[in-house]
Amino acid sequence: MNSAGHSEAAAPRGLELTPFRGLRYDPDRVGSLAAVTSPPYDVVVRPDGLHHLQDADPHNIVRLILPQATTPGARNEQAADTLRRWLAEGVLTTDAVPALYVYEQRHADGTLQRGLIGTLRVSEPSAGVVLPHEDVMPHVVADRAALMRATRANLEPLLLTYRGDGTATETVERTAERSPLLSTTTEDGFSHRLWSITDPAEVARVQADLARHQALIADGHHRWATYLRLRAEHPSPGPWDDGLVLLVDTARHPLRVRAIHRLLHGLPVADALAAVEGLFRVRRLETPLSRALGALADATAAGNAFLLAGDGAFHLLDRPDPALLARTVPADRPRAWRTLDATVLHAALLDHVWHVPEDDPARIAYIHDAAATVEKAERDAGTAVLLHPVREEVVRDLARQGVMMPRKSTSFGPKPASGLVLRALDL
């Protein structure tokens, strides 16, 4: 039993997804539903992107998930005040009946993803119900926890995957044949639709199916760690026992797995290259980004490889010195972990060659978009480190072994749009 009296022995042995009264924008009170949505908070990394979202509509969700006051305390209070005002003004309204929500994302490129949004019982990794695969940064967890305490809300769902293809998935597919609660298309070309499941018998069938499964955290490790921290702070039973999630069955709707890239502040490319001389093979590529990423993919087929940028060219690093890896990569983990590009990047390059602390935001940033990473590196005279994505089966395998990948190793998608349905803990 932990310090707040939560017994993991009593935790469910499968997924426990519960209906809730969704908090949603009143379409008559905003410019458009698309204009009030945002990518998840950790994807909105560029100031121009943040300002674009703020300008799209005065009620854009980014004003809650990334408030812009000058101090952390002021930012959180600003978000809480904004949320209270929007509730009082009717900008956000609460659905009358608790529901599980079916959420669909579709793109002209053929991408189709459907899943269930609900509140999931929070459990420690040791319970084997929700499996993390990445370490988290304590300062980010502290920041998200402070925001959730202030707003008493789950402002955006995290993304979980499981493999079932059973009753729950059939219910999702059947529900998607009905008329949706909302439908909108965002400027990234994705259309979004949302339905509710309120019939007790349907909900019970979904819950019975999910109770036989475990889930992998695809996106939202820091938010899940935040749920755990807040649950430990509050007596049980109570609303903090659960957290808002989107649960996708990847047996029916496989996700894409992409890399998360690094931007090293204060490290010019010339210095980064000088430090790796003799430790990696280095080749200069005078090619566009797409072809450079293709060369990176080819190189990773034979071993660890990275693409450096920031000086107007691309530099392909591969064939690391075996002695460097033996000296820097911990030997007490499975081979699949030891040979990850992210492992070699953090253990060998960041820690021992470049001496860049992985949790210091003044020295390193984690960016999902390769072009944005290169652009910022060139503008700031830093170094962009581009990675090739890891395969989903490797991620799931390590998670089942309880082995954590280096933080920010993967980017699963498509990610749910923030702002379509929220959860207020007091409702």
Side-chain angles (χ1 to χ4, degrees):
M1 186 174 291
N2 67 24
S3 58
H6 299 275
S7 172
E8 285 306 329
R13 299 314 302 170
L15 300 167
E16 188 174 338
L17 195 69
T18 305
F20 70 105
R21 295 176 64 199
L23 196 60
R24 298 190 292 117
Y25 282 98
D26 181 344
D28 294 330
R29 302 297 302 271
V30 297
S32 73
L33 290 175
V36 295
T37 65
S38 162
Y41 81 95
D42 57 338
V43 180
V44 187
V45 293
R46 295 164 49 155
D48 55 341
L50 178 66
H51 298 148
H52 173 72
L53 291 166
Q54 288 176 329
D55 293 343
D57 189 284
H59 302 108
N60 189 283
I61 190 69
V62 78
R63 297 178 185 274
L64 299 182
I65 63 175
L66 283 175
Q68 293 300 296
T70 54
T71 66
R75 287 197 293 270
N76 297 328
E77 285 308 312
Q78 180 185 79
D81 290 345
T82 300
L83 178 58
R84 284 191 290 266
R85 186 173 71 254
W86 290 356
L87 286 166
E89 295 172 350
V91 173
L92 288 169
T93 61
T94 309
D95 287 340
V97 179
L100 297 177
Y101 295 86
V102 171
Y103 174 47
E104 176 190 277
Q105 293 165 274
R106 186 188 293 267
H107 196 275
D109 65 6
T111 300
L112 172 63
Q113 179 172 291
R114 291 186 182 130
L116 283 162
I117 296 177
T119 63
L120 188 70
R121 181 59 54 96
V122 175
S123 60
E124 298 285 349
S126 59
V129 178
V130 176
L131 305 176
H133 67 269
E134 290 182 0
D135 287 329
V136 297
M137 292 175 271
H139 75 276
V140 177
V141 176
D143 176 71
R144 291 293 103 185
L147 179 63
M148 286 190 203
R149 286 191 206 99
T151 58
R152 292 188 62 81
N154 298 153
L155 300 172
E156 49 186 347
L158 55 87
L159 176 60
L160 304 181
T161 73
Y162 77 108
R163 297 187 66 81
D165 211 11
T167 303
T169 299
E170 292 304 324
T171 302
V172 166
E173 300 303 309
R174 193 167 54 249
T175 301
E177 297 173 359
R178 307 172 187 166
S179 295
L181 294 174
L182 65 85
S183 178
T184 191
T185 300
T186 45
E187 60 183 18
D188 59 4
F190 273 95
S191 64
H192 308 263
R193 296 197 294 171
L194 193 75
W195 299 260
S196 62
I197 301 175
T198 57
D199 177 73
E202 271 195 310
V203 169
R205 286 193 293 271
V206 168
Q207 291 175 321
D209 184 23
L210 294 178
R212 301 182 297 110
H213 296 286
Q214 63 181 184
L216 174 74
I217 300 177
D219 185 69
H221 283 81
H222 289 92
R223 279 166 282 170
W224 187 257
T226 299
Y227 291 165
L228 285 167
R229 174 180 290 195
L230 293 173
R231 187 194 66 159
E233 294 175 0
H234 294 84
S236 182
W240 300 98
D241 289 344
D242 303 89
L244 188 63
V245 305
L246 166 62
L247 188 60
V248 174
D249 181 357
T250 54
R252 184 69 64 97
H253 296 290
L255 273 67
R256 299 191 305 253
V257 187
R258 293 178 172 169
I260 301 178
H261 311 290
R262 276 64 170 160
L263 172 63
L264 309 183
H265 302 294
L267 179 66
V269 174
D271 293 350
L273 292 172
V276 300
E277 186 174 353
L279 300 175
F280 283 77
R281 181 175 71 168
V282 180
R283 287 176 285 166
R284 182 183 178 94
L285 307 178
E286 298 283 357
T287 62
L289 174 59
S290 60
R291 299 181 80 175
L293 289 173
L296 174 64
D298 292 341
T300 56
N304 300 117
F306 310 94
L307 201 60
L308 270 55
D311 62 349
F314 296 101
H315 308 270
L316 182 63
L317 276 58
D318 65 356
R319 299 185 184 177
D321 177 15
L324 170 69
L325 302 186
R327 188 170 69 249
T328 59
V329 176
D332 60 346
R333 309 283 180 88
R335 184 180 183 280
W337 181 89
R338 299 196 310 271
T339 56
L340 289 170
D341 289 333
T343 296
V344 172
L345 172 62
H346 282 255
L349 286 170
L350 293 181
D351 287 355
H352 290 273
V353 177
W354 293 327
H355 306 292
V356 174
E358 63 179 12
D359 57 354
D360 183 355
R363 299 289 306 281
I364 186 170
Y366 299 83
I367 304 177
H368 292 74
D369 182 78
T373 312
V374 173
E375 178 188 324
K376 287 181 68 67
E378 291 178 344
R379 187 170 63 238
D380 302 341
T383 295
V385 183
L386 308 184
L387 290 87
H388 186 66
V390 65
R391 300 190 317 277
E392 180 180 358
E393 54 266 33
V394 173
V395 177
R396 195 175 294 275
D397 242 18
L398 288 172
R400 284 178 174 150
Q401 297 177 60
V403 178
M404 295 296 101
M405 297 171 66
R407 56 193 61 169
K408 297 293 185 182
S409 293
T410 61
S411 176
F412 283 80
K415 303 179 190 302
S418 299
L420 295 178
V421 60
L422 294 65
R423 177 201 179 208
L425 274 72
D426 294 329
L427 298 175

